[in-house]
Amino acid sequence: MNSLVLMVVGLAMVLAGYFLYSKFLANRVYRLDETYRTPSHEMRDGVDYVPTNKFVLWGHHFTSVAGAAPIVGPAIAVIWGWVPAFLWVTLGTVFFAGMHDMGALWASVRNKGRSMGMLSGRYIGARGRGLFLVVIFLLLLMVIAAFAVVIKNLLIATPTSVIPVWGAIAVAAVIGQMIYRWKINLLVTTVIGVVALYSLILVGDRFPVVLPDPILGMSPATFWIVALFVYAGIASLLPVWVLLQPRDYINGVQLFIGLGILYGAVLFSTPAVVAPAFNENVPADTPSLVPLLFVTIACGAISGFHGMVSSGTSSKQLDKETDGRFVGYFGAVGEGMLALGAIIATTAGFRTVADWEAVYSSFAVNGVGAFVDGGAAIVNAGLGIPASLSATILATMAVLFAATTMDTGVRLQRFVVQEAGELAGVRVNKGVGTVVVLVVAMGLVFSSGGEGDGGLLIWPLFGTTNQLLASLTLAVVAVILLRKKRNPLPVLIPLVFVLVMSIYALVVQLGTFWADQSWLLLVLDVIILVASLWVSVEAAAAMNAARKGSFDPESDEPVPTGTSAAGTGAAGASGGKPSKEA
């Protein structure tokens, strides 16, 4: 198979999803209304609730959800062959991820920007909400801790990425001022930001930064992790427009340029895909394709973390409800493009099948490294960019996206801590909530020593937890649709598939953890499994009640006994036609 064919077919599929299927969802299922007053206007506070240009918000949303996962997942999953990974990424983006992300965004916007955890309390029940928050907390803990380790490893392995990674923070701060304070044209601002960012990449490639050992009494690994958590804590407390939003926006533009470079190199070099379509000789430690493929590739097909971002930050910044199609669905398309690029880089970036098999000699040992090495080889061959600079571009892209997901994760985890405090009757302010998040996450990261590799201890559960959260998010969206008397099938079919595969994977992993005597993972697996099954039962009951009950489609509230949905509100009282469904 020629990688150019793979690229063209894959891009055509995900773009068709945006231009065709997302319109159906927006107009017929979610019925987005341009006149609806969004929480960013209704609850505007200049910190979390900020009406935002849809292109800027898309960048914030896209880079927050992207991170390293759409690179790591596909880079590992191609060990089963490129066909299963390709199909799950493309079909998953079109029918699963875009629908999920836009649905979570819409549901939150219709509920004052509340997080999915809080929405589960309203639509599934109080017990469901508590268990939902447990799953969310564990997932965000995995993301924050593991991504800190991933970034640390990349900064050490690719010292040429240090200057552009940290310099991007200063660029983002200036971009925020240009957009919101100085009111400079967005196109001009974007060009300046991109030029500055790529100038930093050139500088970084020429002046790699290797830290002395020790530095300030710490090893380089410890120093980078502490620095990352300090940054993430500060960023999570600042008004979103000061740093997070402009940083994510300019990184989103940078990613598309990076993907353009990678795809352009494929266009000119047309490397052959050397990996097998279906790998019949997988290494002995490779688990079965079903169900593990569907949890190994989460981001890039469907991801519960996206629902947290959609309902945790993006819904508070959406200017018009109709912008949700571009921000939510096209955000998922962008991630699908990144996952597709990762598949091509890790299957066509090697000269021979033997070279590929040497790299993929064991399961789950390849990820960002395989993407950077394979992608750099393609870029070097196709565009003539020096191998070192090619690797710097791709490594910087991977680190920046992992960092944007990490700092957004800290902000979302702080929301979860505050919501848990609210349920317990304790008011937790932003500062205290952030400290709690940082202490717990850093405790996990350093639990196995000063090098910080403890952050990967519970990572084997990320895929299943993430996909379970996606199915539970879809359950909330399905209940809302049923209450509004709309067609729930575009949500219910993916919900059932993802839920079954996720629970199947959790059960399979139980046996693995027991055999390996990984008692921490075993206990967490049981907790997540019980919580998810419990919430699923509660959600099924809520959906059944919504299907049988009478609800006002305008307000999504139960209709009082003796009345009908058509007879509520001003239209019903006057005997006229019911008002347009919101």
Side-chain angles (χ1 to χ4, degrees):
M1 169 64 71
N2 190 292
S3 59
L4 180 60
V5 176
L6 208 61
M7 180 185 80
V8 171
V9 173
L11 291 178
M13 289 176 68
V14 297
L15 289 175
Y18 175 70
F19 288 112
L20 299 175
Y21 190 57
S22 74
K23 283 188 177 180
F24 165 76
L25 294 174
N27 297 332
R28 302 292 297 276
V29 179
Y30 301 130
R31 303 184 191 179
L32 306 184
D33 183 359
E34 186 175 9
T35 65
Y36 183 79
R37 185 172 171 82
T38 60
S40 69
H41 291 280
E42 183 182 354
M43 306 174 70
R44 185 171 187 166
D45 62 4
V47 179
D48 295 317
Y49 293 85
V50 181
T52 304
N53 176 287
K54 71 175 183 179
F55 297 103
V56 176
L57 181 56
W58 168 83
H60 168 64
H61 176 84
F62 168 49
T63 53
S64 294
V65 301
I71 296 174
V72 175
I76 292 174
V78 294
I79 200 168
W80 287 297
W82 64 263
V83 168
F86 176 80
L87 291 177
W88 179 226
V89 163
T90 51
L91 296 177
T93 295
V94 173
F95 296 107
F96 290 67
M99 173 275 300
H100 168 274
D101 294 12
M102 181 161 56
L105 186 57
W106 165 74
S108 180
V109 165
R110 287 285 166 156
N111 287 273
K112 299 185 183 298
R114 293 188 179 95
S115 74
M116 200 52 62
M118 296 303 284
L119 292 186
S120 65
R122 176 181 181 187
Y123 292 103
I124 295 180
R127 287 174 299 190
R129 177 176 57 189
L131 295 168
F132 207 110
L133 286 175
V134 169
V135 177
I136 292 172
F137 184 88
L138 289 173
L139 175 68
L140 291 174
L141 180 61
M142 293 175 199
V143 169
I144 296 167
F147 277 26
V149 177
V150 169
I151 298 167
K152 173 263 293 183
N153 290 339
L154 279 170
L155 289 174
I156 293 174
T158 316
T160 53
S161 67
V162 173
I163 288 178
V165 165
W166 291 100
I169 297 173
V171 173
V174 174
I175 292 295
Q177 297 299 312
M178 293 174 72
I179 294 174
Y180 289 101
R181 286 281 176 84
W182 306 333
K183 307 296 183 183
I184 296 177
N185 177 273
L186 182 60
L187 179 60
V188 174
T189 301
T190 303
V191 171
I192 292 173
V194 169
V195 170
L197 198 55
Y198 275 88
S199 297
L200 287 170
I201 290 176
L202 292 173
V203 173
D205 185 59
R206 186 167 183 180
F207 300 102
V209 177
V210 179
L211 296 181
D213 189 6
I215 175 172
L216 301 179
M218 297 178 282
S219 69
T222 304
F223 176 83
W224 282 133
I225 288 177
V226 171
L228 285 166
F229 274 109
V230 170
Y231 156 73
I234 294 172
S236 72
L237 291 172
L238 289 173
V240 70
W241 65 269
V242 172
L243 184 58
L244 287 187
Q245 193 188 84
R247 172 176 164 84
D248 292 348
Y249 169 67
I250 204 64
N251 282 341
V253 176
Q254 180 261 152
L255 171 68
F256 261 71
I257 293 174
L259 281 177
I261 292 173
L262 177 60
Y263 286 142
V266 171
L267 180 64
F268 286 110
S269 63
T270 63
V273 175
V274 299
F278 295 93
N279 191 5
E280 298 179 356
N281 299 307
V282 296
D285 63 343
T286 305
S288 61
L289 185 150
V290 178
L292 268 298
L293 169 70
F294 304 102
V295 298
T296 300
I297 300 180
C299 299
I302 182 172
S303 165
F305 181 70
H306 293 201
M308 299 305 98
V309 176
S310 294
S311 63
T313 63
S314 299
S315 63
K316 298 175 175 63
Q317 302 168 59
L318 200 69
D319 183 31
K320 299 176 182 177
E321 189 176 66
T322 47
D323 291 347
R325 175 174 168 249
F326 181 76
V327 174
Y329 197 100
F330 195 69
V333 167
E335 191 172 71
M337 290 179 177
L338 177 57
L340 176 63
I343 291 173
I344 293 173
T346 54
T347 58
F350 301 90
R351 290 180 300 173
T352 65
V353 177
D355 290 341
W356 183 84
E357 289 178 340
V359 172
Y360 283 88
S361 59
S362 182
F363 182 73
V365 297
N366 296 290
V368 178
F371 167 75
V372 171
D373 294 340
I378 293 174
V379 172
N380 175 249
L383 300 180
I385 298 175
S388 172
L389 180 57
S390 299
T392 299
I393 292 172
L394 295 177
T396 300
M397 186 169 71
V399 174
L400 285 176
F401 276 82
T404 55
T405 300
M406 179 186 172
D407 54 31
T408 298
V410 172
R411 196 181 194 95
L412 292 172
Q413 189 76 305
R414 186 247 296 171
F415 290 153
V416 171
V417 170
Q418 289 179 296
E419 289 172 356
E422 181 182 330
L423 293 178
V426 178
R427 181 176 177 81
V428 180
N429 64 37
K430 295 179 180 179
V432 173
T434 301
V435 170
V436 170
V437 172
L438 295 179
V439 168
V440 173
M442 291 183 72
L444 175 62
V445 169
F446 290 118
S447 62
S448 62
E451 296 301 296
D453 293 331
L456 297 176
L457 282 176
I458 60 176
W459 184 253
L461 282 169
F462 170 76
T464 46
T465 307
N466 196 23
Q467 301 303 65
L468 280 169
L469 191 55
S471 62
L472 299 180
T473 297
L474 291 178
V476 173
V477 175
V479 172
I480 298 175
L481 291 174
L482 286 166
R483 285 191 175 192
K484 290 182 176 293
K485 308 303 178 186
R486 300 179 190 173
N487 178 16
L489 287 180
V491 175
L492 285 177
I493 294 173
L495 187 165
V496 172
F497 180 84
V498 175
L499 181 63
V500 169
M501 288 298 164
S502 302
I503 291 177
Y504 184 7
L506 269 178
V507 173
V508 170
Q509 287 181 313
L510 271 177
T512 302
F513 298 150
W514 177 270
D516 295 341
Q517 297 186 352
S518 301
W519 306 124
L520 174 62
L521 291 174
L522 182 70
V523 171
L524 289 176
D525 192 316
V526 171
I527 292 173
I528 294 168
L529 181 60
V530 171
S532 300
L533 288 173
W534 196 335
V535 175
S536 298
V537 171
E538 299 272 354
M543 281 187 268
N544 188 51
R547 183 179 62 84
K548 292 182 177 180
S550 181
F551 292 88
D552 176 8
E554 295 288 340
S555 63
D556 192 25
E557 296 291 348
V559 176
T561 304
T563 65
S564 66
T568 60
S574 63
K577 293 181 179 180
S579 59
K580 177 185 174 184
E581 186 174 345

